[in-house]
């Protein structure tokens, strides 16, 4: 779970107060969804289905409906419900647009930061990391970060909407809500082993993607040497082995959420059927209350299912933040010192020759070249 906290903290540091936009819209989506479902109370009452008595939420909704339609007409409530659904759709589209915009910006920030850090790092850093590893961090791991950003946004949305639904359901029938909530908790506990497995697989993707980038980059850049040595089958086998391991990891990571979804949907549908059959007798629920509770949980259980799926997906994406932060931090520690005015591009007169005298080169405390003198005519080819 530490990767979750690191990713969330990094996103908050990157956007700050601007996150109030999409997250505030997420709360509004949950409120409009809950309001739309609870407004079914007066609609069902006007259709002749008896509602429960004594529920504070029912009384508030009934008073509000009386203000909208004092003569008991049906169509004002229908128009109000449609207006709520239109507002909900508009808020959802705006929230989705903001999330997509911030997701791309977040990935772009990390891509620019990594590339600048690698280019400005000392040779000691570059000599310790293969170009394929650095390329994988910029291209693949930032892609996982972008997916993690979107998944985290969906996760927050699912949690907010689930909480609003639970509050509304508690006001309608706290007995049924607690019973179904207990079943949901037991289901969540039953899939903890799958959660640990998806987290383990998520940590495999980084090293495997890096290994693939390194091998493909080295073999393609040296393909002439590969052909000269007649080593095509060898390099194809090595790359194919890594591709196969990635394929197996991705297959398992994609299948685990499906297991959770299947279990949750089976239990939720079975529970709703039992509620419909035994609810009035066991919990003494009025027909209108029963229908509204069922409507709430028909919307709630898919949210719980998606909540579990988002957690599985986050297990695959969140470890990327640890990889990019480690590389960025290492590159920053090995950043080459800059001289005053080095950021400016100097202007030179065109020379007739390039000459160096007694030049030495060393890095990481080791001398590589010593006392090199050279004269190269300009223009020309040397």
């Amino acid at each position: 779970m530490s990767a979750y906290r690191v990713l969330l903290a990094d996103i908050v540091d990157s956007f700050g107060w601007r996150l109030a936009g999409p997250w505030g819209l997420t709360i509004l989506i949950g409120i409009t969804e809950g309001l739309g479902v609870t407004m079914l109370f007066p609609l069902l009452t006007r259709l002749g289905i008896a509602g429960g008595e004594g529920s504070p939420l029912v009384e508030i909704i009934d008073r509000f409906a009386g203000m909208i339609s004092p003569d008991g007409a049906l169509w004002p409530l229908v128009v109000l419900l449609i207006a709520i659904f239109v507002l909900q759709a508009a808020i959802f589209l705006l929230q989705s647009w903001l999330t997509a915009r911030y997701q791309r910006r977040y990935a772009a920030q990390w891509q620019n930061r990594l590339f600048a850090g690698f280019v400005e790092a000392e040779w000691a850093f570059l000599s310790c990391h293969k170009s394929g590893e650095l390329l994988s961090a910029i291209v693949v791991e930032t892609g996982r970060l972008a997916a993690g950003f979107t998944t985290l946004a969906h996760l927050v949305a699912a949690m907010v909407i689930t909480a609003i639904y639970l509050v509304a359901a508690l006001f309608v029938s706290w007995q049924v809500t607690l019973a179904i909530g207990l079943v949901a908790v037991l289901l969540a506990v039953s899939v903890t082993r799958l959660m640990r497995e998806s987290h383990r697989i998520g940590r495999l993707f980084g090293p495997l993607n890096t290994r693939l980038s390194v091998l493909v980059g080295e073999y393609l850049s040296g393909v002439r040497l590969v052909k000269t040595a007649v080593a095509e089958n060898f390099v194809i086998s090595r790359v194919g082995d890594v591709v196969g391991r990635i394929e197996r990891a991705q297959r398992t990571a994609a299948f685990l959420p499906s297991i959770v979804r299947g279990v949750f949907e089976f239990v939720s549908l079975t529970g709703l059927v039992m509620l419909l059959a035994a609810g009035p007798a066991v919990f003494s629920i009025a027909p209108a209350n029963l229908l509204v509770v069922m409507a709430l949980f028909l919307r709630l259980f898919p949210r719980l299912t998606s909540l579990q799926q988002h957690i599985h997906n986050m297990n695959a994406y969140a470890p990327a933040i640890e990889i990019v932060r480690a590389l960025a931090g290492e590159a920053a520690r090995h950043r080459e010192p800059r001289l005053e005015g080095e950021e400016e591009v100097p202007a030179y007169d065109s020379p007739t020759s390039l000459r160096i005298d007694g030049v030495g080169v060393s890095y990481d405390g080791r001398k590589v070249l010593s006392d090199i003198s050279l004269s190269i005519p300009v223009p020309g080819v040397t």
Side-chain angles (χ1 to χ4, degrees), residues 72-288:
L74 185 66
W75 286 108
L77 295 179
V78 173
V79 172
L80 176 62
L81 278 172
I82 294 175
I84 291 174
F85 296 149
V86 170
L87 177 62
Q88 175 189 332
I91 296 173
F92 172 77
L93 290 176
L94 180 58
Q95 189 260 0
S96 299
W97 179 79
L98 281 177
T99 299
R101 180 183 178 185
Y102 286 178
Q103 177 222 44
R104 187 56 251 169
R105 183 180 299 176
Y106 181 61
Q109 287 175 353
W110 265 110
Q111 287 174 329
N112 291 329
R113 177 180 173 184
L114 288 173
F115 181 75
F118 297 160
V119 171
E120 294 175 348
E122 296 175 332
W123 181 252
F125 168 82
L126 298 173
S127 64
C128 294
H129 296 278
K130 295 185 177 181
S131 59
E133 178 186 359
L134 305 182
L135 178 63
S136 176
I138 294 174
V139 176
V140 180
E141 297 306 320
T142 56
R144 287 211 293 164
L145 282 183
F149 183 97
T150 302
T151 304
L152 186 60
H154 291 324
L155 187 61
V156 171
M159 293 173 64
V160 169
I161 294 174
T162 298
I164 292 174
Y165 277 1
L166 285 174
V167 171
L170 280 170
F171 277 107
V172 177
S173 175
W174 65 268
Q175 302 97 325
V176 176
T177 304
L178 290 181
I180 297 179
L182 179 60
V183 174
V185 170
L186 293 176
L187 282 173
V189 172
S190 68
V191 297
T192 52
R193 183 176 179 181
L194 297 178
M195 292 291 182
R196 290 194 296 268
E197 179 65 14
S198 66
H199 187 69
R200 183 189 68 82
I201 292 174
R203 291 192 170 276
L204 291 177
F205 284 127
L208 288 175
N209 290 329
T210 297
R211 182 63 176 164
L212 180 62
S213 296
V214 169
L215 289 178
V216 171
E218 288 183 347
Y219 291 149
L220 289 181
S221 62
V223 68
R224 292 182 179 179
L225 182 60
V226 170
K227 288 185 169 296
T228 301
V230 195
E232 292 93 338
N233 291 335
F234 172 75
V235 300
I236 290 173
S237 175
R238 292 194 67 186
V239 172
D241 176 67
V242 178
V243 170
R245 292 169 64 186
I246 293 176
E247 186 272 334
R248 289 189 293 272
Q250 289 178 335
R251 181 179 59 204
T252 304
F255 182 63
L256 288 177
S258 299
I259 297 177
V260 175
R261 178 176 179 177
V263 172
F264 268 70
E265 287 188 351
F266 169 75
V267 175
S268 63
L269 292 175
T270 303
L272 287 173
V273 170
M274 296 297 294
L275 176 63
L276 182 62
V282 176
F283 299 104
S284 300
I285 305 177

Side-chain angles (χ1 to χ4, degrees), residues 23-33 91 160 164:
W23 287 0
L25 292 174
T26 298
I27 296 175
L28 287 178
I29 291 172
I31 292 174
T32 53
E33 285 198 18
I91 296 173
V160 169
I164 292 174

